[in-house]
Amino acid sequence: MADDTIFGKILRGEIPCDEVYSDEQCLAFRDVAPQAPVHVLVIPLKPIESLRSSAAEDAALLGHLLLIAARVAKQEGLDDFRTVINSGAGAGQTVFHLHVHVIGGRPLEWPPG
Ligand code: AMP
């Protein structure tokens, strides 16, 4: 599947990122427009467009992304943090390659906008 998103370009090394973690299934890097002192994105190497288009075969990968989100939060010194997955433009998704936001380092309000 072609991955013409900006994250596809990062995965192919065509544009740089500020990497904080990588393994054989995923990459984590700092968000270019951080919404908090810590704002990291965890993305699968597999080009899944969105959580809503993931499939049963992705179950282990989705679990892995969450475990790595927690690992990255700990690595960044966070006890409290928020994980966000926006699915669809109406929910704020702007890059159509699945990603988990890991946000923390300041008090976080609930509910979000
Ligand atoms: P979303 O709006 O949930 O699709 O999140 C996309 C995120 O990607 C936004 O928080 C952007 O700031 C971030 N972003 C876009 N381009 C880059 C980039 N080249 N490097 C790092 N983060 C990016």
Side-chain angles (χ1 to χ4, degrees), residues 1-42:
M1 190 198 307
D3 185 359
D4 291 331
T5 69
I6 192 110
F7 294 169
K9 290 185 171 61
I10 287 173
L11 288 171
R12 291 193 296 271
E14 293 167 12
I15 61 170
C17 72
D18 188 356
E19 178 179 326
V20 298
Y21 175 88
S22 68
D23 63 24
E24 71 289 345
Q25 295 183 79
C26 70
L27 172 69
F29 53 92
R30 296 190 194 286
D31 196 293
V32 76
Q35 300 302 309
V38 175
H39 189 169
V40 171
L41 304 171
V42 184

Side-chain angles (χ1 to χ4, degrees), residues 5-109:
T5 69
I6 192 110
F7 294 169
K9 290 185 171 61
I10 287 173
L11 288 171
R12 291 193 296 271
E14 293 167 12
I15 61 170
C17 72
D18 188 356
E19 178 179 326
V20 298
Y21 175 88
S22 68
D23 63 24
E24 71 289 345
Q25 295 183 79
C26 70
L27 172 69
F29 53 92
R30 296 190 194 286
D31 196 293
V32 76
Q35 300 302 309
V38 175
H39 189 169
V40 171
L41 304 171
V42 184
I43 74 172
L45 305 192
K46 180 179 176 180
I48 300 169
E49 191 182 301
S50 177
L51 187 61
R52 64 187 180 184
S53 57
S54 59
E57 67 185 33
D58 300 318
L61 175 58
L62 294 173
H64 184 71
L65 295 177
L66 291 181
L67 288 171
I68 296 306
R71 177 177 168 155
V72 164
K74 186 174 182 185
Q75 184 178 300
E76 294 290 318
L78 300 177
D79 274 333
D80 299 344
F81 60 92
R82 182 169 294 162
T83 47
V84 174
I85 302 174
N86 295 321
S87 298
Q93 187 176 7
T94 58
V95 179
F96 286 81
H97 181 122
L98 176 64
H99 49 283
V100 181
H101 295 259
V102 180
I103 299 167
R106 66 166 170 79
L108 297 168
E109 305 284 321

